[in-house]
Amino acid sequence: MTVESTAARKPRRSSGTKRAAGADSARKTAVATAQPHDAEPQLVQLLTPEGERVESADSAQFAPFVADITTEDLRGLYRDMVLTRRFDGEATALQRQGELGLWASLLGQEAAQIGSGRALRDDDYVFPTYREHGVAWCRGVDPTNLLGMFRGVNHGGWDPNTNNFHLYTIVIGSQTLHATGYAMGVAKDGADSAVIAYFGDGASSQGDVAEAFTFSAVYNSPVVFFCQNNQWAISEPTERQMRVPLYQRAQGFGFPGVRVDGNDVLACLAVTRWALERARNGEGPTLVEAFTYRMGAHTTSDDPTKYRRDEETAAWEAKDPILRLKAHLLATGGADEAFFAQLEEESETLGKRVREVVRAMPDPDTMAIFENVYADGHALVDEERAQFAAYLASFEGGE
Amino acid sequence: MAVQKLTIAKALNDSLRKALETDPKVLIMGEDVGKLGGVFRITDGLQKDFGEERVIDTPLAESGIVGTAIGLALRGYRPVVEIQFDGFVFPAYDQIVTQLAKMHARSLGKIKMPVVIRIPYAGGIGAVEHHSESPETLFAHVPGLKVVSPSNASDAYWMLQQAILSDDPVIFFEPKRRYWDKGEVDVDAIPDALHAARVARAGTDLTLAAYGPMVKVCLEAAAAAAEEGKSVEVVDLRSMSPIDFDGLQASVERTRRLVIVHEAPVFLGVGSEIAARITERCFYHLEAPVLRVGGFHAPYPPARLEDEYLPGLDRVLDAVDRSLAY
């Protein structure tokens, strides 16, 4: 049973005979035996890697939350994932071509993001980290807006209140508290909308995430904590973040935690809908751990070959979220070749548009440095703005 | 009656009450602010009258308090957060510096952050470690934050309401050793602008600049200097970000000498910035270098030593004498 977390697995301590071999080796043994990660994780899964619909005891309670999903809806989810992957791939290429300073790829995490993102209502509010390109897609944020930060022309190019999609947050875990506070406000307003906070397995080690769990639990706030456990926090594996499965952490705070197959878009949709409904019904927070994998680097700055094995990556390739839905659609006659061909065409159009928009992005005006530092103005900013403007104007033909 | 004689603590309490009455979006949040009324009783009686939804006792987690206040502000509320003591603000420093201060700028002005963080600060009450610090420089250095400190009851009453009305985040430092000082508060007055310096005592020979708890020390020093025939002007800065350099410059151009006094360590303190800027602005007016009096580059000492650590009358008068000797 994965819901209402069962007791945490206790780490087995090393034996006395091991200890005799030396304190150092005993410590290493204790760490190694404490890892629950080698075991096959219990997952809520509705679609196998081979594309077959399944229902286990663990997933039975969630299946009704996608009972209304039609074949057309499935094609829509597939389209979302394909276009998101295409956008992401284009951004990675643009970084390699020097058009972006950095890119944080979501490759491999499309199902977690599209499944959860499509579970949301318009009036729900999303607090992302910096990799939620698929969720942004679901919220209707123009994907090219996500690139401004990575190109270095702004710190986020969209109005958060237009799509109820907050700006990307780079300090990991900070946004889980913003989400909790926002949810406290939703409850005060008597609204029935919900809030969702995205974060990663690495961020789960941050104190802010623990404080967000505490606040949301004691105030019974309508917030869903959606952790994409992609197995790696830059080069740190999950064994360096936790000694019990992440979803079980919720139990200590007094709310349910669920581990869902993060590469199964249908299961992610179902579990997130369930968690959002709990929030709307006044049942408080939920932790969803989407068990997934970051197929690429953390960002374009790092090199995963230095810290993880090819066999591991290959094993996850077999669980690809897009291929499994394609297999399902093909096997059930839910989509034909014409659909896939048309989608391919649409992908190309999107890629082309992204390239063109990025290359055409103008640098911001120099004086933008001084804009929006304060809402009510500030004497020092005014003084420095005037001084810098005078300095620039002092050049021949200056601005 | 419009004019009342109140302690700074009561003036702050009345100010919060007024804010809660005026705007239903104003919230009070913090540790022990509800039933207890705060460890200094600044929020005394507010939860009783405005309820637990407006005056919120929080878990003991400062980052959580500020981080959730940011979320509430995003939802349209105006949270007034209490950090119990100065030294406890650091667990929240990340949220204040990386999130609260930058939200308006990084949203290109789309988001406003009307959050006030009240911090009882500075020494003089014989407290234990982490209960007597003056970290104002660390906040004044951060673009996006405004930093103020009242020195008297009237400012306590008015500046807090002005801070709550501001759409920018304001760090509101309350001089805890002055909480019980009484002063006149005219609740019908038109208050000074939140960031304007104020001449607290007029003089012609030298300007003493201070804020918060040190204003009283400087006024006492000016009175003592007057007995020796020296006319010392005292400027209450009231705001450390922004600093009213125009107001201070006007005073220094009159007196031609400046001594800055604060409890925080002198090194890279608010006084350093003032000395640099006033030297730049008033170079041809100054008869003496700008001098600073303040704390040492040492951890705040045990309570039995704080009288030696904190600038008192004699250290301020010594600096006045040094300046006048040029």
Side-chain angles (χ1 to χ4, degrees), chain B residues 12-13 32 35-36 42 50 81 114 117 123 125 146 156 167-168 183 195 200 204 212 216 219 223 232 249 270 301 323:
Chain B
L12 292 166
N13 180 267
D32 307 307
K35 284 198 173 61
L36 182 66
I42 305 303
F50 294 94
V81 161
I117 300 178
I125 63 163
K146 291 183 174 174
D167 280 333
D168 288 312
H195 302 289
T204 54
K216 187 175 182 181
L219 287 169
V232 172
Q249 179 179 351
V270 168
S323 177

Side-chain angles (χ1 to χ4, degrees), chain A residues 43-276:
Chain A
L43 297 171
V44 175
Q45 189 181 71
L46 297 173
L47 202 59
T48 67
E50 293 74 34
E52 290 165 19
R53 277 297 306 264
V54 285
E55 258 184 54
S56 66
D58 284 333
S59 60
Q61 81 171 93
F62 301 103
F65 286 86
V66 287
D68 64 323
I69 293 296
T70 63
T71 304
E72 191 183 346
D73 293 332
L74 286 177
R75 283 197 299 268
L77 293 168
Y78 183 81
R79 175 179 174 271
D80 288 337
M81 290 198 290
V82 167
L83 293 180
T84 298
R85 179 171 290 187
R86 180 54 204 258
F87 162 72
D88 183 78
E90 199 63 46
T92 301
L94 284 164
Q95 195 281 332
R96 296 299 183 222
Q97 292 160 16
E99 300 288 348
L100 301 177
L102 185 79
W103 182 243
S105 168
L106 67 31
L107 186 64
Q109 298 177 222
E110 295 86 353
Q113 296 195 14
I114 299 301
S116 60
R118 285 293 174 216
L120 299 164
R121 263 182 6 202
D122 285 351
D123 61 328
D124 294 336
Y125 213 103
V126 179
F127 287 85
T129 171
Y130 44 76
R131 202 191 295 282
E132 272 65 71
H133 323 313
V135 186
W137 172 267
C138 294
R139 299 306 284 176
V141 176
D142 185 329
T144 60
N145 278 345
L146 305 173
L147 300 172
M149 167 188 279
F150 296 96
R151 190 170 168 85
V153 302
N154 59 38
H155 297 309
W158 61 95
D159 181 345
N161 291 325
T162 302
N163 306 82
N164 282 8
F165 186 79
H166 191 65
L167 300 171
Y168 278 0
T169 298
I170 291 186
V171 179
I172 63 173
S174 294
Q175 74 284 358
T176 59
L177 280 168
H178 308 162
T180 300
Y182 193 94
M184 288 163 67
V186 168
K188 280 183 193 304
D189 294 344
D192 80 335
S193 47
V195 181
I196 188 164
Y198 289 86
F199 61 106
D201 42 296
S204 74
S205 298
Q206 287 280 1
D208 274 4
V209 173
E211 294 188 24
F213 288 178
T214 297
F215 275 68
S216 63
V218 302
Y219 296 120
N220 202 45
S221 306
V223 58
V224 176
F225 296 105
F226 194 93
C227 178
Q228 289 168 86
N229 177 357
N230 68 12
Q231 314 301 324
W232 292 92
I234 306 189
S235 71
E236 304 277 7
T238 48
E239 296 92 270
R240 281 285 173 269
Q241 314 296 336
M242 63 206 70
R243 293 181 67 146
V244 295
L246 211 155
Y247 73 93
Q248 291 183 0
R249 202 171 288 181
Q251 188 185 36
F253 292 88
F255 54 88
V258 189
R259 178 180 272 181
V260 61
D261 184 339
N263 288 16
D264 173 351
V265 70
L266 212 50
C268 288
L269 178 65
V271 167
T272 311
R273 278 181 167 181
W274 166 79
L276 291 167

Side-chain angles (χ1 to χ4, degrees), chain A residues 127 155 159-160 168 174 177-178 181-182 185-186 188-189 208 211 215 219 372-378 380 383, chain B residues 53 56-58 61 63-64 68 71-72 75 77 95 99 104-106 108 144-146 166-168 241-242 277 281:
Chain A
F127 287 85
H155 297 309
D159 181 345
Y168 278 0
S174 294
L177 280 168
H178 308 162
Y182 193 94
V186 168
K188 280 183 193 304
D189 294 344
D208 274 4
E211 294 188 24
F215 275 68
Y219 296 120
N372 301 308
V373 185
Y374 293 89
D376 297 341
H378 190 283
L380 179 61
E383 184 183 323
Chain B
E53 286 293 315
I56 305 165
D57 274 323
T58 63
S63 191
T68 53
L72 282 157
R75 182 71 190 179
Y77 287 87
Q95 282 287 346
Q99 307 299 316
H104 183 67
R106 58 201 292 272
L108 301 177
L145 300 178
K146 291 183 174 174
S166 170
D167 280 333
D168 288 312
S241 179
R277 291 210 179 242
R281 284 174 175 238

Side-chain angles (χ1 to χ4, degrees), chain A residues 379 383 387, chain B residues 195-199 203-204 206-210 233-237 243-260 273-287 290:
Chain A
E383 184 183 323
Q387 284 172 349
Chain B
H195 302 289
R198 176 180 67 94
V199 176
T204 54
L206 179 144
T207 297
L208 277 176
E233 179 150 305
V234 177
V235 173
D236 183 352
L237 289 170
I243 292 171
D244 180 5
F245 284 110
D246 292 344
L248 188 56
Q249 179 179 351
S251 173
V252 174
E253 285 180 358
R254 284 195 298 274
T255 65
R256 308 171 85 83
R257 285 180 169 82
L258 175 63
V259 174
I260 307 143
E273 180 62 34
I274 293 173
R277 291 210 179 242
I278 289 299
T279 301
E280 204 174 325
R281 284 174 175 238
C282 306
F283 189 69
Y284 293 107
H285 288 86
L286 287 169
E287 299 284 350
V290 178

Side-chain angles (χ1 to χ4, degrees), chain A residues 287-363:
Chain A
L287 171 62
V288 176
E289 177 191 0
F291 204 77
T292 182
Y293 195 74
R294 189 191 80 212
M295 294 304 295
H298 164 70
T299 69
T300 43
S301 294
D302 71 311
D303 175 5
T305 64
K306 289 197 170 200
Y307 55 80
R308 65 187 191 190
R309 295 171 292 119
D310 290 345
E311 305 86 77
E312 178 186 297
T313 313
W316 278 94
E317 263 171 22
K319 302 177 189 175
D320 186 89
I322 294 182
L323 293 181
R324 80 171 68 180
L325 187 52
K326 184 173 190 177
H328 178 75
L329 286 169
L330 286 171
T332 57
D336 54 18
E337 286 306 327
F339 168 78
F340 295 111
Q342 197 210 327
L343 189 52
E344 181 61 29
E345 208 173 301
E346 199 178 346
S347 291
E348 285 309 311
T349 307
L350 175 65
K352 185 163 178 286
R353 181 166 81 86
V354 167
R355 274 196 304 281
E356 286 171 358
V357 171
V358 165
R359 288 178 177 149
M361 271 183 193
D363 285 349

